[in-house]
Amino acid sequence: MRQVRLAKDAMDRDWADPDLDLGAVAAHAGYSRYHFIRAFKEAYGETPGQYLTHRRIERAEDLLRTANLSVTEICHLVGFSSVGTFSARFKAWTGLTPSEYRTKHVGRGAALIPGCYAMLWAGGFRSAPGASTGTGSGSAASGKQRNSGEAG
């Protein structure tokens, strides 16, 4: 049971990591993937995948209520790599799409947190895979990085 608890702690700590998968979590417990699924379900009443999805959806609910971020931004912040999968799982869990959930719950409390603050709090802005740091033609040739708003 101790090993399963350690793996659950790892899931609670790293839930937003999109690369967190069953193999990595099972390795924390020192179990094979299939033995870990059985042990986790016996201990917590749901599979590790279901548990991780529920953790991510709960965090998404919080962000939809409190942060001025798009559904796509929230999807990626909580560890989903596909907006379609996120929306389908969110609706299955809450009965509402993310947009419907936001419409229903925004305005029932404090003002929304600006998206830039929420992104920084959540671990910063992540660059897209394959994104370059240059901002346009000529920046590599001149050896200077240019701000897109910089003149000439």
Side-chain angles (χ1 to χ4, degrees):
M1 183 63 181
R2 181 177 183 277
Q3 291 92 342
V4 174
R5 237 188 341 258
L6 290 173
K8 182 179 176 287
D9 290 345
M11 291 170 67
D12 288 338
R13 181 183 59 246
D14 300 329
W15 58 267
D17 182 358
D19 295 327
L20 185 65
D21 64 357
L22 181 59
V25 177
H28 263 81
Y31 291 159
S32 73
R33 297 164 51 117
Y34 303 107
H35 182 69
F36 178 69
I37 290 171
R38 285 190 301 272
F40 192 95
K41 187 167 185 173
E42 185 178 315
Y44 297 106
E46 59 186 347
T47 67
Q50 291 167 333
Y51 177 78
L52 187 57
T53 296
H54 295 161
R55 285 281 290 152
R56 289 174 172 172
I57 297 295
E58 288 168 357
R59 184 65 185 125
E61 287 175 313
D62 185 45
L63 288 170
L64 286 164
R65 283 190 309 268
T66 61
N68 188 18
L69 295 168
S70 71
V71 170
T72 302
E73 290 169 325
I74 291 171
C75 163
H76 294 293
L77 277 175
V78 300
F80 285 93
S81 55
S82 163
V83 177
T85 300
F86 168 67
S87 295
R89 298 232 172 113
F90 190 93
K91 185 168 184 170
W93 180 251
T94 65
L96 301 168
T97 66
S99 298
E100 292 168 343
Y101 185 89
R102 171 175 275 159
T103 300
K104 181 177 179 181
H105 292 285
V106 167
R108 293 184 155 193
L112 291 176
I113 299 167
C116 57
Y117 289 114
M119 292 286 279
L120 286 172
W121 177 83
F125 297 91
R126 295 184 186 128
S127 60
S132 68
T133 56
T135 57
S137 63
S139 64
S142 68
K144 296 179 183 177
Q145 294 293 326
R146 296 182 110 183
N147 178 327
S148 63
E150 186 177 295

